[in-house]
Amino acid sequence: MPDMSASASLAVTHLVTLAEYDKDKVTPGVLGFIVFAVMALAVWGLMKSMGRHMGRVDFKESPDPEAEAAGAAGKGAGGSEPRQG
């Protein structure tokens, strides 16, 4: 049976060299800036569009005709709502 410790140590040494990096050289770069700028412009455009759409909303709640009919019929001759119980 072949000795696996030599191949395992060789694999570990390759992984260690990949894990070592210089903190001064790790940057997002131009591509990171471009992606961030595009996302920022997209969010700005969506917020502007949402502001326009919310400005167009004219919500006036109309009274429910069934609730008015039930309220008028429930008052009766006494002028007060009937007790439930």
Side-chain angles (χ1 to χ4, degrees):
M1 188 160 160
D3 185 25
M4 296 301 257
S5 63
S7 62
S9 66
L10 183 62
V12 170
T13 55
H14 284 300
L15 290 175
V16 170
T17 57
L18 290 177
E20 294 176 6
Y21 61 92
D22 186 9
K23 290 182 181 179
D24 296 331
K25 292 184 180 179
V26 177
T27 62
V30 176
L31 180 63
F33 174 75
I34 291 172
V35 169
F36 182 79
V38 167
M39 289 174 59
L41 286 173
V43 169
W44 177 77
L46 286 171
M47 294 296 288
K48 190 168 180 158
S49 174
M50 183 186 70
R52 266 188 279 142
H53 280 86
M54 292 301 286
R56 292 181 188 169
V57 172
D58 186 25
F59 179 72
K60 293 181 182 174
E61 187 173 353
S62 60
D64 189 14
E66 293 178 5
E68 286 181 1
K75 288 193 176 187
S80 65
E81 301 257 341
R83 291 187 190 178
Q84 294 181 3

mmCIF file with all atom_site columns, all heavy atoms in Angstrom, residues 19-32:
data_model
loop_
_atom_site.group_PDB
_atom_site.id
_atom_site.type_symbol
_atom_site.label_atom_id
_atom_site.label_alt_id
_atom_site.label_comp_id
_atom_site.label_asym_id
_atom_site.label_entity_id
_atom_site.label_seq_id
_atom_site.pdbx_PDB_ins_code
_atom_site.Cartn_x
_atom_site.Cartn_y
_atom_site.Cartn_z
_atom_site.occupancy
_atom_site.B_iso_or_equiv
_atom_site.pdbx_formal_charge
_atom_site.auth_seq_id
_atom_site.auth_comp_id
_atom_site.auth_asym_id
_atom_site.auth_atom_id
_atom_site.pdbx_PDB_model_num
ATOM 1   N N   . ALA A 1 19 ? -3.543  30.217 0.093   1.00 0.00 ? 19 ALA A N   1
ATOM 2   C CA  . ALA A 1 19 ? -4.177  30.956 1.171   1.00 0.00 ? 19 ALA A CA  1
ATOM 3   C C   . ALA A 1 19 ? -3.406  32.224 1.529   1.00 0.00 ? 19 ALA A C   1
ATOM 4   O O   . ALA A 1 19 ? -3.974  33.150 2.079   1.00 0.00 ? 19 ALA A O   1
ATOM 5   C CB  . ALA A 1 19 ? -4.323  30.067 2.394   1.00 0.00 ? 19 ALA A CB  1
ATOM 6   N N   . GLU A 1 20 ? -2.116  32.266 1.261   1.00 0.00 ? 20 GLU A N   1
ATOM 7   C CA  . GLU A 1 20 ? -1.320  33.444 1.592   1.00 0.00 ? 20 GLU A CA  1
ATOM 8   C C   . GLU A 1 20 ? -1.543  34.507 0.528   1.00 0.00 ? 20 GLU A C   1
ATOM 9   O O   . GLU A 1 20 ? -1.435  34.245 -0.671  1.00 0.00 ? 20 GLU A O   1
ATOM 10  C CB  . GLU A 1 20 ? 0.152   33.070 1.653   1.00 0.00 ? 20 GLU A CB  1
ATOM 11  C CG  . GLU A 1 20 ? 0.480   32.129 2.794   1.00 0.00 ? 20 GLU A CG  1
ATOM 12  C CD  . GLU A 1 20 ? 1.926   31.689 2.767   1.00 0.00 ? 20 GLU A CD  1
ATOM 13  O OE1 . GLU A 1 20 ? 2.690   32.202 1.935   1.00 0.00 ? 20 GLU A OE1 1
ATOM 14  O OE2 . GLU A 1 20 ? 2.277   30.826 3.580   1.00 0.00 ? 20 GLU A OE2 1
ATOM 15  N N   . TYR A 1 21 ? -1.869  35.705 0.973   1.00 0.00 ? 21 TYR A N   1
ATOM 16  C CA  . TYR A 1 21 ? -2.069  36.798 0.032   1.00 0.00 ? 21 TYR A CA  1
ATOM 17  C C   . TYR A 1 21 ? -1.595  38.095 0.681   1.00 0.00 ? 21 TYR A C   1
ATOM 18  O O   . TYR A 1 21 ? -1.501  38.222 1.893   1.00 0.00 ? 21 TYR A O   1
ATOM 19  C CB  . TYR A 1 21 ? -3.528  36.918 -0.392  1.00 0.00 ? 21 TYR A CB  1
ATOM 20  C CG  . TYR A 1 21 ? -4.477  37.202 0.747   1.00 0.00 ? 21 TYR A CG  1
ATOM 21  C CD1 . TYR A 1 21 ? -4.811  38.502 1.094   1.00 0.00 ? 21 TYR A CD1 1
ATOM 22  C CD2 . TYR A 1 21 ? -5.047  36.165 1.473   1.00 0.00 ? 21 TYR A CD2 1
ATOM 23  C CE1 . TYR A 1 21 ? -5.667  38.759 2.138   1.00 0.00 ? 21 TYR A CE1 1
ATOM 24  C CE2 . TYR A 1 21 ? -5.908  36.421 2.520   1.00 0.00 ? 21 TYR A CE2 1
ATOM 25  C CZ  . TYR A 1 21 ? -6.215  37.722 2.843   1.00 0.00 ? 21 TYR A CZ  1
ATOM 26  O OH  . TYR A 1 21 ? -7.071  37.972 3.886   1.00 0.00 ? 21 TYR A OH  1
ATOM 27  N N   . ASP A 1 22 ? -1.315  39.050 -0.142  1.00 0.00 ? 22 ASP A N   1
ATOM 28  C CA  . ASP A 1 22 ? -0.869  40.350 0.339   1.00 0.00 ? 22 ASP A CA  1
ATOM 29  C C   . ASP A 1 22 ? -2.097  41.238 0.497   1.00 0.00 ? 22 ASP A C   1
ATOM 30  O O   . ASP A 1 22 ? -2.850  41.439 -0.466  1.00 0.00 ? 22 ASP A O   1
ATOM 31  C CB  . ASP A 1 22 ? 0.115   40.955 -0.662  1.00 0.00 ? 22 ASP A CB  1
ATOM 32  C CG  . ASP A 1 22 ? 0.731   42.237 -0.154  1.00 0.00 ? 22 ASP A CG  1
ATOM 33  O OD1 . ASP A 1 22 ? 0.541   42.566 1.035   1.00 0.00 ? 22 ASP A OD1 1
ATOM 34  O OD2 . ASP A 1 22 ? 1.423   42.897 -0.956  1.00 0.00 ? 22 ASP A OD2 1
ATOM 35  N N   . LYS A 1 23 ? -2.291  41.785 1.693   1.00 0.00 ? 23 LYS A N   1
ATOM 36  C CA  . LYS A 1 23 ? -3.473  42.607 1.954   1.00 0.00 ? 23 LYS A CA  1
ATOM 37  C C   . LYS A 1 23 ? -3.489  43.870 1.109   1.00 0.00 ? 23 LYS A C   1
ATOM 38  O O   . LYS A 1 23 ? -4.549  44.417 0.821   1.00 0.00 ? 23 LYS A O   1
ATOM 39  C CB  . LYS A 1 23 ? -3.548  42.969 3.436   1.00 0.00 ? 23 LYS A CB  1
ATOM 40  C CG  . LYS A 1 23 ? -3.874  41.817 4.322   1.00 0.00 ? 23 LYS A CG  1
ATOM 41  C CD  . LYS A 1 23 ? -3.983  42.260 5.768   1.00 0.00 ? 23 LYS A CD  1
ATOM 42  C CE  . LYS A 1 23 ? -4.287  41.071 6.644   1.00 0.00 ? 23 LYS A CE  1
ATOM 43  N NZ  . LYS A 1 23 ? -4.375  41.447 8.066   1.00 0.00 ? 23 LYS A NZ  1
ATOM 44  N N   . ASP A 1 24 ? -2.330  44.338 0.698   1.00 0.00 ? 24 ASP A N   1
ATOM 45  C CA  . ASP A 1 24 ? -2.266  45.550 -0.108  1.00 0.00 ? 24 ASP A CA  1
ATOM 46  C C   . ASP A 1 24 ? -2.681  45.319 -1.561  1.00 0.00 ? 24 ASP A C   1
ATOM 47  O O   . ASP A 1 24 ? -3.028  46.257 -2.265  1.00 0.00 ? 24 ASP A O   1
ATOM 48  C CB  . ASP A 1 24 ? -0.848  46.123 -0.083  1.00 0.00 ? 24 ASP A CB  1
ATOM 49  C CG  . ASP A 1 24 ? -0.450  46.571 1.313   1.00 0.00 ? 24 ASP A CG  1
ATOM 50  O OD1 . ASP A 1 24 ? -1.351  46.951 2.093   1.00 0.00 ? 24 ASP A OD1 1
ATOM 51  O OD2 . ASP A 1 24 ? 0.754   46.528 1.620   1.00 0.00 ? 24 ASP A OD2 1
ATOM 52  N N   . LYS A 1 25 ? -2.656  44.077 -2.010  1.00 0.00 ? 25 LYS A N   1
ATOM 53  C CA  . LYS A 1 25 ? -2.977  43.784 -3.397  1.00 0.00 ? 25 LYS A CA  1
ATOM 54  C C   . LYS A 1 25 ? -4.406  43.304 -3.599  1.00 0.00 ? 25 LYS A C   1
ATOM 55  O O   . LYS A 1 25 ? -4.856  43.159 -4.724  1.00 0.00 ? 25 LYS A O   1
ATOM 56  C CB  . LYS A 1 25 ? -2.020  42.728 -3.944  1.00 0.00 ? 25 LYS A CB  1
ATOM 57  C CG  . LYS A 1 25 ? -0.605  43.235 -4.085  1.00 0.00 ? 25 LYS A CG  1
ATOM 58  C CD  . LYS A 1 25 ? 0.275   42.196 -4.710  1.00 0.00 ? 25 LYS A CD  1
ATOM 59  C CE  . LYS A 1 25 ? 1.698   42.706 -4.842  1.00 0.00 ? 25 LYS A CE  1
ATOM 60  N NZ  . LYS A 1 25 ? 2.571   41.707 -5.435  1.00 0.00 ? 25 LYS A NZ  1
ATOM 61  N N   . VAL A 1 26 ? -5.128  43.047 -2.526  1.00 0.00 ? 26 VAL A N   1
ATOM 62  C CA  . VAL A 1 26 ? -6.499  42.549 -2.654  1.00 0.00 ? 26 VAL A CA  1
ATOM 63  C C   . VAL A 1 26 ? -7.438  43.746 -2.686  1.00 0.00 ? 26 VAL A C   1
ATOM 64  O O   . VAL A 1 26 ? -7.646  44.410 -1.681  1.00 0.00 ? 26 VAL A O   1
ATOM 65  C CB  . VAL A 1 26 ? -6.863  41.607 -1.489  1.00 0.00 ? 26 VAL A CB  1
ATOM 66  C CG1 . VAL A 1 26 ? -8.301  41.152 -1.602  1.00 0.00 ? 26 VAL A CG1 1
ATOM 67  C CG2 . VAL A 1 26 ? -5.928  40.424 -1.477  1.00 0.00 ? 26 VAL A CG2 1
ATOM 68  N N   . THR A 1 27 ? -7.982  44.044 -3.868  1.00 0.00 ? 27 THR A N   1
ATOM 69  C CA  . THR A 1 27 ? -8.902  45.163 -4.035  1.00 0.00 ? 27 THR A CA  1
ATOM 70  C C   . THR A 1 27 ? -10.064 44.715 -4.920  1.00 0.00 ? 27 THR A C   1
ATOM 71  O O   . THR A 1 27 ? -9.925  43.771 -5.696  1.00 0.00 ? 27 THR A O   1
ATOM 72  C CB  . THR A 1 27 ? -8.202  46.356 -4.694  1.00 0.00 ? 27 THR A CB  1
ATOM 73  O OG1 . THR A 1 27 ? -7.755  45.966 -5.989  1.00 0.00 ? 27 THR A OG1 1
ATOM 74  C CG2 . THR A 1 27 ? -7.025  46.842 -3.864  1.00 0.00 ? 27 THR A CG2 1
ATOM 75  N N   . PRO A 1 28 ? -11.198 45.388 -4.818  1.00 0.00 ? 28 PRO A N   1
ATOM 76  C CA  . PRO A 1 28 ? -12.305 45.030 -5.696  1.00 0.00 ? 28 PRO A CA  1
ATOM 77  C C   . PRO A 1 28 ? -12.031 45.374 -7.153  1.00 0.00 ? 28 PRO A C   1
ATOM 78  O O   . PRO A 1 28 ? -12.586 44.761 -8.045  1.00 0.00 ? 28 PRO A O   1
ATOM 79  C CB  . PRO A 1 28 ? -13.482 45.820 -5.156  1.00 0.00 ? 28 PRO A CB  1
ATOM 80  C CG  . PRO A 1 28 ? -12.919 46.835 -4.256  1.00 0.00 ? 28 PRO A CG  1
ATOM 81  C CD  . PRO A 1 28 ? -11.564 46.398 -3.849  1.00 0.00 ? 28 PRO A CD  1
ATOM 82  N N   . GLY A 1 29 ? -11.195 46.353 -7.380  1.00 0.00 ? 29 GLY A N   1
ATOM 83  C CA  . GLY A 1 29 ? -10.806 46.695 -8.742  1.00 0.00 ? 29 GLY A CA  1
ATOM 84  C C   . GLY A 1 29 ? -11.862 47.474 -9.498  1.00 0.00 ? 29 GLY A C   1
ATOM 85  O O   . GLY A 1 29 ? -12.876 47.915 -8.947  1.00 0.00 ? 29 GLY A O   1
ATOM 86  N N   . VAL A 1 30 ? -11.622 47.629 -10.767 1.00 0.00 ? 30 VAL A N   1
ATOM 87  C CA  . VAL A 1 30 ? -12.506 48.408 -11.631 1.00 0.00 ? 30 VAL A CA  1
ATOM 88  C C   . VAL A 1 30 ? -13.843 47.689 -11.812 1.00 0.00 ? 30 VAL A C   1
ATOM 89  O O   . VAL A 1 30 ? -14.900 48.325 -11.805 1.00 0.00 ? 30 VAL A O   1
ATOM 90  C CB  . VAL A 1 30 ? -11.831 48.659 -12.994 1.00 0.00 ? 30 VAL A CB  1
ATOM 91  C CG1 . VAL A 1 30 ? -12.768 49.389 -13.938 1.00 0.00 ? 30 VAL A CG1 1
ATOM 92  C CG2 . VAL A 1 30 ? -10.546 49.443 -12.811 1.00 0.00 ? 30 VAL A CG2 1
ATOM 93  N N   . LEU A 1 31 ? -13.821 46.379 -11.942 1.00 0.00 ? 31 LEU A N   1
ATOM 94  C CA  . LEU A 1 31 ? -15.064 45.632 -12.126 1.00 0.00 ? 31 LEU A CA  1
ATOM 95  C C   . LEU A 1 31 ? -15.972 45.777 -10.905 1.00 0.00 ? 31 LEU A C   1
ATOM 96  O O   . LEU A 1 31 ? -17.186 45.976 -11.048 1.00 0.00 ? 31 LEU A O   1
ATOM 97  C CB  . LEU A 1 31 ? -14.768 44.155 -12.382 1.00 0.00 ? 31 LEU A CB  1
ATOM 98  C CG  . LEU A 1 31 ? -15.994 43.272 -12.596 1.00 0.00 ? 31 LEU A CG  1
ATOM 99  C CD1 . LEU A 1 31 ? -16.738 43.704 -13.846 1.00 0.00 ? 31 LEU A CD1 1
ATOM 100 C CD2 . LEU A 1 31 ? -15.578 41.819 -12.695 1.00 0.00 ? 31 LEU A CD2 1
ATOM 101 N N   . GLY A 1 32 ? -15.409 45.733 -9.719  1.00 0.00 ? 32 GLY A N   1
ATOM 102 C CA  . GLY A 1 32 ? -16.198 45.928 -8.504  1.00 0.00 ? 32 GLY A CA  1
ATOM 103 C C   . GLY A 1 32 ? -16.826 47.309 -8.456  1.00 0.00 ? 32 GLY A C   1
ATOM 104 O O   . GLY A 1 32 ? -17.974 47.473 -8.059  1.00 0.00 ? 32 GLY A O   1
#
